[in-house]
């Protein structure tokens, strides 16, 4: 195999024959090239068979790119190779091993919250302000990410709140089992359980997988780490590729220690650093290196390039968010829109930028809006398909049983649900026993009509291909006619989305070796938020949060809102780990740019309808002065009364004073928040996700009050009191 296109460290990683290896791949250093060449070498030079190689990624987009690159390298199909996301590979294993007969449904966040709502109703907690489906779902997901089961959690309980939560958690798991459903976290956990508890299954995969490759290793959580350890227990051939400087998902459960302590977990590990960058200019890379060097918890590496020096980074100081947006438009006019992007720390920042882009006639697309598969009409059709795939899925059944309207009311549904609960059968099975339920003649008729419709379509499912079947479901259910006849605003767009769903099924069938309804539903269920980023072939600007930008690159990039409290979104009282993650996020933003980079901060920014001072981000102090050109647009604006103070960046010993100044000008929002409560050290408080905790320290006043709270099951958390929903425990 020709390795001449690889640089020396890349070749070293690809030629590593056996044992664990950590490839520290800096931004733009060609990590995918290393993984794909490694796969090709395992096939050609090391004599491995396709099914003995597994490559795990985090997004379907990355998995598709990896498959395409491997196919080009080996000049043949990648059939048989295990290349996919953690969740898609684990779902494949679970189906193959017959979990729930291989017909389980994967519940998304919305489905999970519906299950939790039902559980709260059963437990008489539906009206409790202490428990909301969203908070409960978040806490359960957090526990599962740390591999804490219901049984394990019960051993950690230390108060009545936790006892009630344990009841909810246990009943939630029972409901999932009844519906033959798995939530997103279960997919990996159930695979680990198989490897842990079934010796035959464990032996099969551990002996067959001779080479395991993991992309974006810095984003793995505890469960993913455990999966990797169990899959490699026999051959110990694991290559993990990642960059600790781009670890930005701790809020999703990612554990930075997985990559920082890889050599402890795999003592014989080889470490290779990829530091040559093929994306950005020397100016951009020197800036990124200088900024990230301020982090203490990292593995040393320095990006370099043999490319051009490049243009200075432009740092704009503007009056307010409208002037910030106006400056962004000016910057973007200097190049092709299709290769330009604007990044910000929070979605709320996009409003002013969007308005200015519209006023300037500049087309744009936002990443992070309502995803296609989360739109009402798309989810309705998918719910029909899920019932045909898994009749036990009562969440999907109740979604579509009266869509379009068939005269099946809430009281009728409650009778159906109560009967299935008492008979310990699924709701779909209850439709076969309507004569045993206390229903009126009209209720009997409409339910029987729905069951006849579903039975007829079920017969068609056995003979029709997926595309034909989906078309029939849309038409025979009456759903297509419902929107065709609708006078509701936006009905045409909904019809277009339904048509696009059929297109998606067609595309799936074309690229799948063995297309099936279940396969399509699984693919849809495992699409991540990062998979919605489309290749920018149109003439428009891309807007997104910094968290969504990782893995992307653009010729021209704008980073908006570099202000204390916004970016970094921490205060000087926050811990070092939080600040370092924010700095890694800044580093990610910088390294997305190929040629030109603009960074903007305002002198004032509107907060809750009131203009408040904004102070330059401490990260701006870390930029190497010889790499930047600072441009002060605020001096000529009406807000320039404090410009002399703002022009000098904030030294550490002045920050607290400035925070106090902010507190004085902020409006009184006590009616909207909990700041009227006096929190003090030692106080017992209750959080909707983490339960009972004890306040360790308090800082700030009014809307800027922050508390450090120690929770029994979640450890110490630093919380903004205004948003934390803390309640004093009486």
């Amino acid at each position: 195999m020709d390795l001449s296109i690889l640089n020396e460290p890349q070749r070293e990683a690809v030629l590593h024959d056996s044992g664990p290896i950590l490839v520290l791949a800096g931004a733009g250093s060609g990590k995918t090239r290393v993984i794909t060449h490694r796969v090709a070498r395992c096939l050609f030079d090391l004599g491995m068979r396709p099914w003995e190689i597994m490559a795990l990624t985090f997004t379907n987009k990355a998995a598709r790119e990896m498959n395409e690159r491997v196919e080009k390298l080996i000049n043949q199909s990648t059939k048989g190779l295990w290349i996919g996301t953690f969740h898609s590979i684990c779902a494949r294993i679970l189906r193959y091993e017959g979990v729930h007969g291989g017909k389980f449904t994967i519940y998304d966040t919305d489905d999970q919250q519906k299950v939790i709502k039902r559980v709260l109703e059963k437990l008489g907690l539906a009206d409790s302000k202490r428990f909301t489906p969203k908070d409960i779902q978040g806490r359960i997901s957090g526990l599962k990410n740390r591999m804490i089961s219901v049984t394990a959690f019960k051993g950690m309980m230390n108060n009545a709140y936790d006892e009630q939560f344990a009841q909810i958690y246990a009943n939630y798991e029972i409901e999932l089992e009844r519906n033959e459903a798995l939530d997103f976290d279960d997919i990996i956990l159930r695979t680990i359980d198989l490897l842990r508890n079934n010796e035959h299954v464990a032996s099969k995969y551990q002996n067959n997988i001779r080479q395991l490759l993991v992309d974006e290793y810095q984003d793995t959580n505890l469960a993913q780490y455990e999966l990797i350890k169990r899959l490699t227990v026999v051959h110990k051939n694991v290559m993990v590729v990642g960059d600790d400087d781009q670890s930005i998902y701790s809020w999703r459960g990612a554990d930075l220690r997985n990559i920082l302590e890889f050599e402890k977990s795999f003592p014989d590990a080889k470490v290779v650093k990829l530091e040559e960058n093929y994306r950005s200019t020397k100016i951009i890379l020197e800036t990124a290196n200088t900024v990230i060097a301020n982090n203490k918890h990292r593995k040393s590496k320095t990006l370099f390039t043999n490319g051009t020096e490049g243009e200075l980074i432009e740092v704009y100081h503007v009056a307010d968010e409208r002037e910030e947006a106006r400056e962004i438009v000016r910057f973007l006019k200097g190049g092709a829109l299709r290769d330009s992007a604007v990044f910000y720390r929070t979605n709320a920042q996009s409003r002013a930028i969007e308005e200015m882009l519209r006023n300037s006639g500049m087309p744009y697309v936002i990443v992070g809006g309502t995803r296609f598969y989360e739109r009402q009409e798309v989810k309705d059709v998918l719910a029909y398909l899920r019932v045909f795939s898994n009749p036990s899925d009562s969440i999907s059944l109740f979604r579509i049983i009266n869509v379009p309207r068939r005269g099946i009311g809430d009281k009728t549904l409650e009778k159906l649900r109560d009967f299935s609960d008492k008979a310990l059968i699924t709701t779909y099975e209850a439709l076969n026993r309507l004569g045993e339920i206390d229903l009126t003649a009209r209720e009997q008729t409409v339910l029987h009509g729905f069951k006849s419709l579903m039975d007829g379509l079920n017969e068609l499912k056995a003979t029709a291909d997926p595309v034909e079947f989906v078309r029939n479901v849309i038409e025979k259910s009456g759903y297509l006619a419902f929107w065709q006849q609708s006078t509701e605003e936006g009905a045409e767009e909904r019809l277009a989305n339904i048509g696009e769903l059929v297109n998606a099924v067609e595309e799936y069938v074309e690229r799948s070796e063995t297309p099936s309804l279940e396969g399509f539903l699984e693919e849809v269920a495992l699409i991540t938020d990062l998979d919605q980023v489309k290749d920018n072939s149109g003439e428009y600007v891309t807007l997104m949060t910094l968290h969504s930008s990782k893995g992307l690159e653009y010729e021209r990039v704008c980073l908006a809102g570099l202000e204390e409290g916004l970016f970094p979104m921490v205060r000087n009282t926050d811990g070092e780990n939080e600040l370092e993650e924010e700095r890694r996020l800044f580093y990610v933003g910088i390294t997305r740019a190929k040629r030109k980079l603009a960074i903007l901060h305002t002198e004032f920014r509107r907060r809750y309808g009131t203009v408040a001072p904004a102070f330059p981000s401490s990260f701006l102090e870390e930029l190497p002065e010889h790499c930047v050109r600072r441009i002060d647009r605020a001096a000529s604006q009406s807000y320039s009364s404090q410009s002399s103070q703002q022009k000098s960046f904030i030294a550490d010993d002045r920050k607290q004073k400035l925070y106090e100044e902010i507190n004085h000008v902020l409006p009184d929002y006590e009616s909207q928040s909990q700041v009227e409560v006096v929190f003090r050290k030692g106080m017992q408080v209750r959080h909707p996700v983490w339960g009972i905790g004890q306040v360790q320290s308090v800082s700030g006043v009014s809307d800027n009050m922050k508390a450090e709270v120690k929770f029994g099951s979640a450890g110490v958390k630093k919380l903004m009191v205004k948003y934390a929903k803390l309640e004093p425990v009486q």
Side-chain angles (χ1 to χ4, degrees):
M1 186 178 63
D2 182 17
L3 301 180
S4 60
I5 67 168
L6 304 179
N7 63 34
E8 188 53 41
Q10 289 173 339
R11 273 196 298 275
E12 185 181 359
V14 171
L15 292 172
H16 178 70
D17 278 339
S18 62
I21 176 172
L22 166 63
V23 180
L24 286 171
S29 63
K31 65 182 178 64
T32 306
R33 178 180 292 179
V34 168
I35 294 173
T36 53
H37 276 74
R38 176 72 180 168
V39 171
R41 182 165 184 268
C42 286
L43 290 169
F44 288 150
D45 297 349
L46 302 182
M48 295 184 191
R49 293 167 292 185
W51 55 88
E52 294 178 323
I53 303 167
M54 180 181 288
L56 301 173
T57 71
F58 275 85
T59 68
N60 294 286
K61 181 181 178 182
R64 283 194 297 270
E65 180 185 357
M66 200 175 292
N67 263 302
E68 290 167 3
R69 289 204 194 182
V70 171
E71 281 189 347
K72 287 182 180 178
L73 275 176
I74 65 177
N75 198 29
Q76 63 188 54
S77 170
T78 55
K79 183 178 180 180
L81 287 168
W82 294 76
I83 298 180
T85 65
F86 275 91
H87 290 88
S88 66
I89 293 295
C90 286
R92 181 175 161 187
I93 291 172
L94 294 176
R95 291 198 191 280
Y96 187 79
E97 299 303 330
V99 172
H100 287 311
K103 299 288 186 180
F104 56 82
T105 299
I106 300 171
Y107 278 175
D108 62 17
T109 301
D110 183 56
D111 299 321
Q112 290 173 255
Q113 291 179 16
K114 286 179 180 176
V115 173
I116 292 167
K117 183 179 178 182
R118 176 63 179 155
V119 168
L120 292 175
E121 289 170 355
K122 282 185 175 181
L123 296 176
L125 297 170
D127 297 326
S128 172
K129 293 182 180 180
R130 298 171 64 193
F131 299 106
T132 67
K134 182 179 179 181
D135 291 338
I136 293 297
Q137 185 271 328
R139 190 179 189 188
I140 289 175
S141 182
L143 290 170
K144 288 188 175 184
N145 274 330
R146 305 201 308 275
M147 300 181 67
I148 300 175
S149 64
V150 174
T151 303
F153 180 78
K154 286 180 177 178
M156 302 163 60
M157 297 185 308
N158 54 19
N159 53 65
Y161 178 86
D162 280 352
E163 289 176 8
Q164 281 189 310
F165 172 81
Q167 268 189 302
I168 298 168
Y169 189 2
N171 278 272
Y172 168 78
E173 295 289 86
I174 291 169
E175 286 296 311
L176 288 187
E177 195 70 21
R178 281 190 62 192
N179 287 284
E180 296 187 3
L182 303 177
D183 63 29
F184 207 62
D185 302 303
D186 284 334
I187 297 170
I188 293 177
L189 291 178
R190 293 291 286 269
T191 306
I192 293 171
D193 285 344
L194 269 177
L195 298 174
R196 179 192 289 151
N197 302 321
N198 189 315
E199 188 176 339
H200 171 71
V201 170
S203 176
K204 177 169 62 175
Y205 290 99
Q206 289 165 351
N207 282 291
N208 281 350
I209 303 303
R210 293 176 58 194
Q211 181 69 226
L212 178 65
L213 303 100
V214 184
D215 191 17
E216 303 287 6
Y217 186 65
Q218 76 281 349
D219 293 335
T220 54
N221 59 27
L222 177 61
Q224 288 157 337
Y225 165 81
E226 181 68 16
L227 177 70
I228 292 164
K229 287 284 286 184
R230 289 189 176 275
L231 285 173
T232 57
V233 71
V234 174
H235 295 291
K236 304 189 187 319
N237 292 327
V238 55
M239 171 188 278
V240 301
V241 183
D243 182 6
D244 51 306
D245 290 333
Q246 296 186 72
S247 178
I248 58 173
Y249 296 124
S250 65
W251 49 279
R252 287 183 176 175
D255 194 334
L256 180 62
R257 292 173 299 179
N258 288 353
I259 192 167
L260 293 182
E261 300 177 5
F262 182 79
E263 297 98 315
K264 290 183 181 178
S265 302
F266 299 88
D268 300 327
K270 180 183 181 67
V271 178
V272 175
K273 296 181 182 180
L274 305 184
E275 298 171 292
E276 183 172 359
N277 178 282
Y278 296 94
R279 176 190 299 157
S280 306
T281 64
K282 290 180 180 178
I283 289 285
I284 290 171
L285 293 181
E286 183 176 351
T287 301
N289 288 329
T290 303
V291 167
I292 203 63
N294 289 284
N295 275 6
K296 296 178 182 177
H297 302 99
R298 65 184 293 262
K299 289 180 176 289
S300 175
K301 57 186 167 302
T302 303
L303 296 179
F304 70 92
T305 181
N306 292 316
T308 61
E309 188 75 14
E311 300 180 38
L312 294 177
I313 294 168
E314 297 176 352
V315 179
Y316 291 90
H317 171 214
V318 296
D320 59 14
E321 63 268 23
R322 287 187 58 79
E323 290 304 315
E324 177 183 56
R326 188 170 284 115
E327 205 61 56
I328 286 171
V329 169
R330 288 196 194 104
F331 179 84
L332 294 174
K333 285 180 178 177
L337 299 185
R338 72 180 63 188
D339 213 358
S340 303
V342 182
F343 303 146
Y344 32 77
R345 184 62 181 81
T346 67
N347 278 309
Q349 291 171 254
S350 74
R351 182 196 57 79
I353 300 169
E354 287 184 71
E355 286 181 2
M356 197 62 66
L357 289 171
R358 283 196 299 268
N359 292 340
S360 304
M362 193 173 285
Y364 65 91
V365 63
I366 294 183
V367 174
T370 301
R371 293 193 288 165
F372 176 77
Y373 290 106
E374 291 176 350
R375 292 166 185 164
Q376 174 195 328
E377 61 278 9
V378 175
K379 290 204 73 170
D380 286 344
V381 177
L382 289 175
Y384 272 102
L385 303 181
R386 284 163 62 166
V387 173
F388 290 116
S389 172
N390 173 20
S392 298
D393 180 4
S394 62
I395 294 296
S396 295
L397 179 64
F398 278 107
R399 182 182 182 102
I400 53 92
I401 197 169
N402 197 39
V403 175
R405 294 187 185 280
R406 301 183 175 91
I408 303 174
D410 290 342
K411 290 183 179 179
T412 307
L413 294 178
E414 196 59 38
K415 291 178 183 178
L416 193 63
R417 177 182 279 147
D418 287 345
F419 177 79
S420 62
D421 285 346
K422 290 173 183 174
L424 299 178
I425 58 175
T426 68
T427 308
Y428 198 84
E429 288 172 329
L431 290 171
N432 289 319
R433 297 167 61 175
L434 296 178
E436 301 175 45
I437 308 174
D438 182 21
L439 298 168
T440 66
R442 190 195 65 81
E443 289 173 330
Q444 287 268 2
T445 300
V446 292
L447 286 175
H448 181 74
F450 173 74
K451 184 62 167 57
S452 297
L453 165 71
M454 299 299 281
D455 287 344
L457 286 169
N458 239 331
E459 291 177 11
L460 181 63
K461 178 176 178 285
T463 57
D465 66 65
V467 178
E468 181 188 356
F469 179 67
V470 171
R471 286 200 183 107
N472 272 278
V473 168
I474 293 169
E475 292 173 10
K476 294 183 183 299
S477 65
Y479 196 71
L480 183 64
F482 169 76
W483 285 114
Q484 287 173 334
Q485 297 162 15
S486 174
T487 57
E488 178 185 310
E489 184 178 353
E492 288 185 5
E493 184 179 349
R494 294 187 189 277
L495 283 168
N497 288 333
I498 293 169
E500 187 59 30
L501 178 61
V502 177
N503 293 340
V505 180
E506 287 180 322
E507 290 175 10
Y508 159 77
V509 169
E510 288 172 4
R511 66 173 177 269
S512 177
E513 296 171 7
T514 55
S516 66
L517 180 62
E518 288 73 25
F520 173 71
L521 291 172
E522 179 180 300
E523 184 174 285
V524 169
L526 298 179
I527 290 175
T528 71
D529 53 351
L530 299 180
D531 284 313
Q532 66 178 313
V533 182
K534 296 182 179 179
D535 294 331
N536 200 350
S537 55
E539 199 61 32
Y540 49 76
V541 182
T542 302
L543 277 59
M544 71 183 80
T545 65
L546 279 149
H547 280 99
S548 296
S549 73
K550 192 161 76 69
L552 304 176
E553 56 183 47
Y554 297 89
E555 288 286 329
R556 308 164 67 81
V557 167
C558 292
L559 300 181
L562 264 290
E563 295 140 31
E564 288 296 303
L566 180 58
F567 193 21
M569 195 177 282
V570 293
R571 306 301 294 268
N572 63 335
T573 53
D574 273 312
E576 185 176 66
N577 290 340
E578 287 85 352
L579 183 60
E580 290 203 354
E581 178 148 337
E582 290 286 304
R583 186 178 286 111
R584 290 195 293 270
L585 193 56
F586 186 39
Y587 172 85
V588 165
I590 293 171
T591 54
R592 299 312 93 195
K594 296 180 183 178
R595 297 288 174 264
K596 284 187 69 69
L597 175 63
I599 301 172
L600 303 99
H601 65 100
T602 66
E603 186 164 338
F604 288 83
R605 191 174 291 273
R606 288 188 180 276
R607 301 175 56 155
Y608 304 99
T610 301
V611 175
F615 299 98
S617 168
S618 55
F619 293 157
L620 296 177
E621 303 171 45
E622 300 173 0
L623 302 174
E625 284 301 319
H626 64 281
C627 291
V628 303
R629 181 163 67 97
R630 300 192 188 271
I631 304 166
D632 193 345
R633 302 283 199 215
S636 62
Q637 302 297 328
S638 59
Y639 292 127
S640 61
S641 60
Q642 295 185 13
S643 61
S644 60
Q645 179 191 51
Q646 295 298 93
K647 285 177 186 174
S648 61
F649 293 102
I650 306 170
D652 288 340
D653 58 352
R654 295 182 58 219
K655 286 182 184 175
Q656 186 57 45
K657 185 181 179 209
L658 290 171
Y659 286 129
E660 291 169 1
E661 291 176 14
I662 293 175
N663 290 340
H664 284 305
V665 298
L666 282 174
D668 182 5
Y669 299 121
E670 293 188 354
S671 62
Q672 303 176 27
S673 65
Q674 304 168 48
V675 294
E676 70 274 7
V677 178
V678 178
F679 291 95
R680 59 185 180 279
K681 184 176 180 180
M683 176 184 282
Q684 291 276 321
V685 294
R686 178 185 295 108
H687 186 273
V689 175
W690 296 305
I692 303 294
Q694 185 176 55
V695 177
Q696 305 296 298
S697 64
V698 178
S699 60
V701 296
S702 188
D703 269 22
N704 297 286
M705 183 184 293
K706 182 162 286 189
E708 189 176 74
V709 184
K710 184 176 182 180
F711 297 96
S713 61
V716 176
K717 300 288 182 182
K718 297 180 179 66
L719 306 170
M720 200 74 174
V721 171
K722 177 178 177 180
Y723 304 111
K725 299 182 182 178
L726 292 176
E727 298 177 4
V729 176
Q730 303 299 329

